[in-house]
Amino acid sequence: MKDLFYKSTRSSDERVKSCEAIVKGLAGDGGLFVPIEIPKIEKSLDELMTMNYKDLAFYIMKKYFTDFDECELKECIEKAYDEKFETQLIAPVVEKAGVFFLELYHGPTLAFKDMALSILPYLLIKASKKLNVDKEIVILTATSGDTGKAALEGFADVEGVKIIVFYPQDGVSEVQRMQMITQRGLNTFVVGIKGNFDDAQRGVKETFADRKFNKKINDMGYMFSSANSINIGRLVPQIVYYFYGYLNLLKEKKIKDREKINIVVPTGNFGNILAAYYAKKMGLPVNKLICASNENNVLYDFINTGIYDRRREFKKTISPSMDILVSSNLERFLYDISDCDEKAISDMMNKLNKYGIYEIPDEMKEKLDVIYGGYATKYETYNAIEEVYNRSDYLIDTHTAVAYFVYKKYKEETNDNTKTIIASTASPFKFTRDVLKAVDNKYEKFSDFELIEKMAELLGTNVPKGIKDLNKREILHKYTCKGNEIKETILKLLEGK
Ligand SMILES: *Cc1c(COP(=O)(O)O)cnc(C)c1O
């Protein structure tokens, strides 16, 4: 098989294979690595239908990670999608309230981030061996709540790697915070930022781009890499489950061969929906991609006007993992709809940095059509949870609820009856307070941790492994810093102070 190469969205200076793109995370010019060409599936959907999750994962990932040996890649997949997941199906599809939910939250940390972060550490270790990297890798991660824990869990006690996670101190749910600060593993570090997710993400991105600082880190025997969705090693594993969801419907005869479906994705950094877009480009029969935002509705405005404007108030919502004003992965989508115009992308990103706003040209605006954008308010999100529960005795989390609401709005506006999959991105157990509040206000008097038990009772299920006895675990991480102190903090942690 011919090797697939990757380049930056902002220039053509670098041309690397997947190993290097994975180890580096971000391109040297600050752009994101994209495949020179998005590979196509050549097997028929019928043939793919009989594959289990791991086999399908291998088939898709091999197309992107061409420089991995078959055995190596298979080993990574085998280790990633094992008993850590509470179901062998890995990503089951359920039909509730007239729509299909693709449940992506059965991994160890109860959010869809596990789908990619359970494999990224193995890919990264293999890649760094192949490249003869002689430095210890330091994973820097900014998290809006779920990436952090999934990355910590994936990298804990992995030899040759340290991981530092920055999270907005007051911007995550109680369960999310406890999951992170009780993380075990001597190579794990968790730091609360006095600021929001964008402050954390900006700080981390600046650290990656600071050549002098990187040199200093190198001299200390370290190199940085990223576990955020800017890393192509995280994006590619996410393509798999869109195929898997579709093939599941096909197998269950819910759809006909080649029948198009809609995919709804509750969106923050634009990584998950970008994976769906790549799946479509690879040959998955997709009609509309529906991008659902919360009240931080920058993407909704962008999709409807072609103007990206982050100059607005940052809102704390009940779907914190989507509280983002700068969606990094949009850059990869823009690159694609600009016909790979790196100069244009570079200009736009400079404008975003400098002025907080950019507008795309008309030719690109026309191509925004593949995506429908909508958003849900807090009230609409609660209502969505209540409605799905009343219709199907099924609980969805606050992020998935945003997607459900936006889907309903889309249907009302368009009368489109295409069968639809909603990416269900987190377990309701991660957001017990808001989910149960939507169902009945009798739950208000209980603590977040009591509510975990209450939710299990209501659903007649066990508490998921990942959060069982969470409040009894020892708090192991107490660091905090300001958004502009990230570099100093990294030095302190690496020097063991
Ligand atoms: C991260 C996250 C999202 C947003 O996904 P992006 O890939 O950043 O768009 C949505 N829901 C949940 C539960 C998440 O953890």
Side-chain angles (χ1 to χ4, degrees), residues 111-113 146 266-272 321-322 324 397 399 425-426:
F112 88 93
K113 306 290 200 300
D146 291 327
T267 296
N269 224 358
F270 209 79
N272 205 7
S321 302
M322 295 155 64
I324 292 175
D397 93 290
H399 303 76
T425 50

Side-chain angles (χ1 to χ4, degrees), residues 149 152-153 174-186 188 190 449 466-479:
K149 177 62 185 179
L152 287 163
E153 194 67 30
E174 193 49 27
V175 171
Q176 286 177 317
R177 200 174 66 87
M178 274 303 276
Q179 276 186 311
M180 287 190 278
I181 61 178
T182 59
Q183 177 66 46
R184 298 190 166 275
L186 291 175
T188 63
V190 180
F449 295 102
I467 52 164
K468 210 165 157 40
D469 299 326
L470 184 59
N471 57 333
K472 302 200 186 94
R473 294 181 202 166
E474 190 188 347
I475 292 174
L476 299 169
H477 303 273
K478 290 179 184 160
Y479 280 104

Side-chain angles (χ1 to χ4, degrees), residues 113-177:
K113 306 290 200 300
D114 288 324
M115 301 300 295
L117 281 164
S118 53
I119 190 163
L120 183 65
Y122 299 112
L123 295 172
L124 186 72
I125 291 297
K126 284 263 188 278
S128 70
K129 285 211 177 107
K130 288 166 91 74
L131 297 171
N132 294 318
V133 172
D134 59 353
K135 306 263 188 273
E136 185 166 9
I137 295 174
V138 178
I139 304 285
L140 288 189
T141 297
T143 184
S144 55
D146 291 327
T147 291
K149 177 62 185 179
L152 287 163
E153 194 67 30
F155 283 102
D157 293 323
V158 172
E159 224 172 284
V161 184
K162 284 188 165 62
I163 170 161
I164 309 178
V165 167
F166 296 93
Y167 73 95
Q169 217 178 357
D170 303 314
V172 299
S173 85
E174 193 49 27
V175 171
Q176 286 177 317
R177 200 174 66 87

Side-chain angles (χ1 to χ4, degrees), residues 362-375:
D362 289 345
E363 312 84 76
M364 281 172 77
K365 281 183 191 165
E366 282 162 26
K367 295 191 185 162
L368 286 179
D369 210 33
V370 301
I371 302 187
Y372 168 93
Y375 74 97

Side-chain angles (χ1 to χ4, degrees), residues 211-241:
R211 283 179 203 223
K212 222 167 101 197
F213 189 69
N214 275 268
K215 168 91 177 47
K216 185 167 181 165
I217 289 292
N218 280 175
D219 292 344
M220 291 166 64
Y222 296 110
M223 71 174 282
F224 289 134
S225 186
S226 161
N228 279 103
S229 53
I230 50 177
N231 193 317
I232 197 80
R234 229 189 96 180
L235 194 67
V236 171
Q238 295 183 180
I239 300 171
V240 178
Y241 47 73

